[in-house]
Amino acid sequence: MGEVLVELRNIRKEFPGVVALDNMTMQLRAGEVHGLIGENGAGKSTLIKVLTGVYKPDGGEIYLRGEKTQITGPADSKAKGISCVYQELNIVQQLPISDNLFMGSYVKRTGSPLLNYSHMNKKAEEIMASMGQPVSAREIAGNLGMGQQQMIEIGRAVLLESNVIILDEPTSSLGEKEAKELFNTIRILKDRGVAILFVSHKLEELFEICDVVTVMRDGQHISTNPTSAITKDTLIADMVGRTLDNLFPKVESNPGEVALEVSNLTHLGEYYDISFTARKGEILGFSGLVGAGRTELMHGIFASVKPDSGKIIIEGEEVNMKSPKDAITKKIAFLTEDRKQQGLVLQQTIEQNIALVNLNKLTNGLFINNRKVKKQADDAVERLSIRTPSIKKIAGELSGGNQQKVVIGKWMNTEADIFIFDEPTRGIDVGAKVEVYNVMNDLVKQGKCVIMISSELPEILGMCDRVIVMREGRKMAEITSDSKHFNQESIMKAAWGGELDE
């Protein structure tokens, strides 16, 4: 076992009405990938912010290489060898790799105010190559894929000679190939003696890359075990405090009439000649690799980006929607994958967010009926088990899973008949996922039409009645749940451009 580089002892952090960390304990060792998992609201983000100096703990002790210390802020954390790569990347898209990598630590020419780009470019290329990314330091960061942009962030930590690197949901926006490249980089850093704290909701990733896994629940340390000594079931039980007998609680569906028909829909550069039907009382899945055009297609259906050609038919009637407002009028709800930018107003309260798309039902004449707004928010918090001390809580202060539940709550209060869920469980824990699936089941039981985009094949297979596979903006296959091709292998074959036999 490697040297203990960081040790947290009985860390406590309180916020008004909430104990976020309660006697939390953890050790991070050199040359070890340490997984961290827990339900949304378990305290993972707070723990990261304590380690990076964003929050000062209210109790407990922090030790670095066996010496008691205090982390006074983010700069002090970096100076002490701790770096974090957050889920939302901090990259300046318009600048080259070298500028992004050296940001905040530029190197000047000797005796000159000018930057020493010759040195920085050489060093940047050395660092990127050492992580398996042989790219030009002059390449504009925005031209790179998400995986390589993430490598730039990790490269900053390498440049700072950090011996502890925190990766916060590092694969949430990566495709399968990019995730494999990331794991190779993690193994390289591990071999150099770096301690990696790997925060993820994806159980299979923890078993693939982590040496040990710590489970948190309600701000407390629940367990730490070698991955070789645990199973998915034991992890889930530790996380939620109970067993989940069925990760995908699919209800038997009875598809009815066609609710939505899309005919030859095209938006040049994004999707081409897409046709399908979606029925009441079913879940229709959309699968494909990153860049397949699934999200863009749904934006076309929701009229946030108008298609170039094709038809959209709702309840048998062709519609010409010019804006999302028109789509909402036609009873379409769109739960976007980008909850922070498009799904929520982060500076507003839970109560205000849930009321956003339904204000016309919450007014008396010119005035908002605050009693109705409060009841609607209270109902959503109870129904969706949103963890919050109050509906007055600012949405941006919630965990990712609880933010997602607020987005769902917002749309559940409309009169929508067609619900589009775009990556509804991305970045949320197993327990919260089951709660989202049960919301979808409730909609199906009500005879609503549910469309789900997901990059997680077990989710597609576990919850959908049919799946449409897309590649590079085109429909490659449509597979029903009773087909011999309703499996991961066939879906991936179609996503890569292969044809399925009859």
Side-chain angles (χ1 to χ4, degrees):
M1 297 176 68
E3 177 190 5
V4 176
L5 300 181
V6 176
E7 183 176 3
L8 304 178
R9 296 183 188 174
N10 305 317
I11 296 296
R12 184 176 180 85
K13 182 62 185 175
E14 298 182 35
F15 299 101
V18 177
V19 178
L21 295 176
D22 185 13
N23 292 319
M24 181 61 195
T25 298
M26 173 186 281
Q27 291 182 339
L28 301 178
R29 294 179 178 272
E32 184 176 80
V33 182
H34 194 128
L36 179 62
I37 193 168
E39 288 193 278
N40 291 103
K44 302 184 302 296
S45 295
T46 304
L47 180 68
I48 291 172
K49 289 177 180 178
V50 166
L51 278 171
T52 55
V54 176
Y55 293 155
K56 181 180 178 181
D58 298 314
E61 300 167 333
I62 300 175
Y63 290 82
L64 298 182
R65 296 185 184 272
E67 294 188 8
K68 186 177 176 180
T69 189
Q70 289 186 338
I71 300 175
T72 59
D76 185 44
S77 176
K78 290 180 181 178
K80 287 181 164 68
I82 302 172
S83 292
C84 183
V85 178
Y86 290 99
Q87 187 174 351
E88 288 81 25
L89 298 181
N90 185 25
I91 295 291
V92 181
Q93 303 279 333
Q94 297 78 13
L95 292 180
I97 290 173
S98 57
D99 282 83
N100 272 286
L101 202 149
F102 277 87
M103 194 167 295
S105 56
Y106 286 114
V107 178
K108 294 181 180 180
R109 295 179 183 176
T110 304
S112 169
L114 300 177
L115 298 180
N116 190 340
Y117 272 104
S118 175
H119 170 82
M120 289 194 300
N121 288 341
K122 181 181 178 182
K123 186 68 174 176
E125 289 176 0
E126 287 176 357
I127 288 173
M128 295 298 287
S130 76
M131 299 188 300
Q133 300 292 322
V135 293
S136 169
R138 297 178 179 84
E139 181 70 55
I140 300 300
N143 294 338
L144 303 174
M146 288 296 294
Q148 287 182 304
Q149 290 185 32
Q150 192 173 61
M151 295 301 177
I152 297 173
E153 291 255 37
I154 297 174
R156 287 179 187 157
V158 174
L159 178 67
L160 293 171
E161 299 182 347
S162 300
N163 50 40
V164 176
I165 298 178
I166 303 165
L167 301 177
D168 182 17
E169 296 288 348
T171 65
S172 62
S173 299
L174 301 186
E176 184 178 1
K177 181 175 180 292
E178 292 174 315
K180 286 183 178 179
E181 291 178 354
L182 171 65
F183 288 170
N184 287 335
T185 298
I186 290 173
R187 293 184 182 104
I188 290 170
L189 295 172
K190 172 185 170 180
D191 289 343
R192 294 179 189 168
V194 176
I196 307 289
L197 180 60
F198 187 90
V199 185
S200 177
H201 286 111
K202 299 180 180 179
L203 300 182
E204 62 275 8
E205 291 182 351
L206 297 175
F207 285 94
E208 180 175 351
I209 196 65
C210 297
D211 301 298
V212 298
V213 178
T214 288
V215 178
M216 293 181 65
R217 186 171 74 240
D218 298 330
Q220 297 180 326
H221 173 273
I222 299 300
S223 64
T224 297
N225 292 294
T227 49
S228 59
I230 53 177
T231 66
K232 288 184 179 181
D233 288 342
T234 58
L235 275 185
I236 292 169
D238 283 348
M239 269 196 297
V240 302
R242 64 191 189 280
T243 59
L244 293 178
D245 297 326
N246 189 355
L247 292 179
F248 302 105
K250 177 77 174 112
V251 296
E252 185 175 347
S253 62
N254 184 23
E257 299 174 357
V258 172
L260 170 69
E261 181 178 354
V262 171
S263 177
N264 306 115
L265 210 64
T266 296
H267 187 259
L268 297 177
E270 292 185 337
Y271 52 88
Y272 307 89
D273 199 31
I274 303 294
S275 298
F276 68 89
T277 60
R279 297 181 176 275
K280 298 177 181 179
E282 75 165 352
I283 300 178
L284 172 63
F286 274 77
S287 185
L289 303 173
V290 173
R294 300 165 298 168
T295 294
E296 291 79 5
L297 173 63
M298 296 306 153
H299 277 290
I301 293 170
F302 194 63
S304 47
V305 179
K306 191 169 175 59
D308 296 319
S309 60
K311 297 179 181 178
I312 298 173
I313 301 167
I314 298 175
E315 299 281 359
E317 178 184 345
E318 184 177 349
V319 296
N320 180 24
M321 299 177 292
K322 298 179 180 179
S323 69
K325 183 179 179 181
D326 291 342
I328 294 170
T329 301
K330 294 297 181 182
K331 298 187 176 182
I332 300 176
F334 185 17
L335 289 83
T336 173
E337 67 173 333
D338 188 353
R339 59 178 173 257
K340 290 183 181 293
Q341 298 296 324
Q342 300 174 348
L344 293 171
V345 180
L346 294 176
Q347 296 78 20
Q348 290 191 345
T349 65
I350 295 172
E351 183 181 42
Q352 291 168 324
N353 271 280
I354 287 176
L356 278 177
V357 294
N358 201 32
L359 282 175
N360 61 321
K361 302 289 185 182
L362 301 171
T363 56
N364 291 331
L366 297 175
F367 301 98
I368 293 176
N369 187 321
N370 291 322
R371 182 181 58 79
K372 289 182 179 180
V373 171
K374 181 180 183 303
K375 184 179 187 307
Q376 183 175 265
D378 285 335
D379 289 346
V381 166
E382 181 178 358
R383 179 179 182 184
L384 299 170
S385 300
I386 300 172
R387 292 188 178 183
T388 177
S390 166
I391 59 174
K392 302 294 185 182
K393 179 88 169 173
I394 299 299
E397 297 175 358
L398 298 172
S399 65
N402 285 302
Q403 288 180 0
Q404 184 72 321
K405 291 178 185 178
V406 173
V407 176
I408 293 172
K410 176 181 72 173
W411 288 106
M412 292 292 288
N413 285 304
T414 68
E415 296 178 350
D417 290 327
I418 300 167
F419 285 80
I420 301 171
F421 289 79
D422 191 358
E423 302 286 3
T425 65
R426 172 174 288 169
I428 65 176
D429 61 78
V430 175
K433 284 182 179 183
V434 173
E435 291 170 355
V436 171
Y437 300 147
N438 283 326
V439 169
M440 296 167 68
N441 284 336
D442 287 344
L443 294 172
V444 168
K445 290 175 183 176
Q446 296 169 33
K448 307 291 187 181
C449 170
V450 176
I451 298 173
M452 178 176 70
I453 299 173
S454 177
S455 298
E456 296 189 27
L457 288 182
E459 182 171 77
I460 287 284
L461 295 169
M463 292 302 299
C464 296
D465 300 290
R466 287 186 292 138
V467 57
I468 290 172
V469 186
M470 291 182 64
R471 171 180 167 81
E472 296 180 351
R474 299 186 184 278
K475 178 180 173 181
M476 303 303 296
E478 182 171 339
I479 307 169
T480 59
S481 60
D482 58 359
S483 166
K484 68 177 182 179
H485 293 303
F486 198 69
N487 54 62
Q488 294 198 31
E489 292 76 14
S490 293
I491 292 174
M492 284 306 299
K493 182 178 180 181
W496 282 104
E499 293 187 4
L500 305 181
D501 56 61
E502 295 297 329

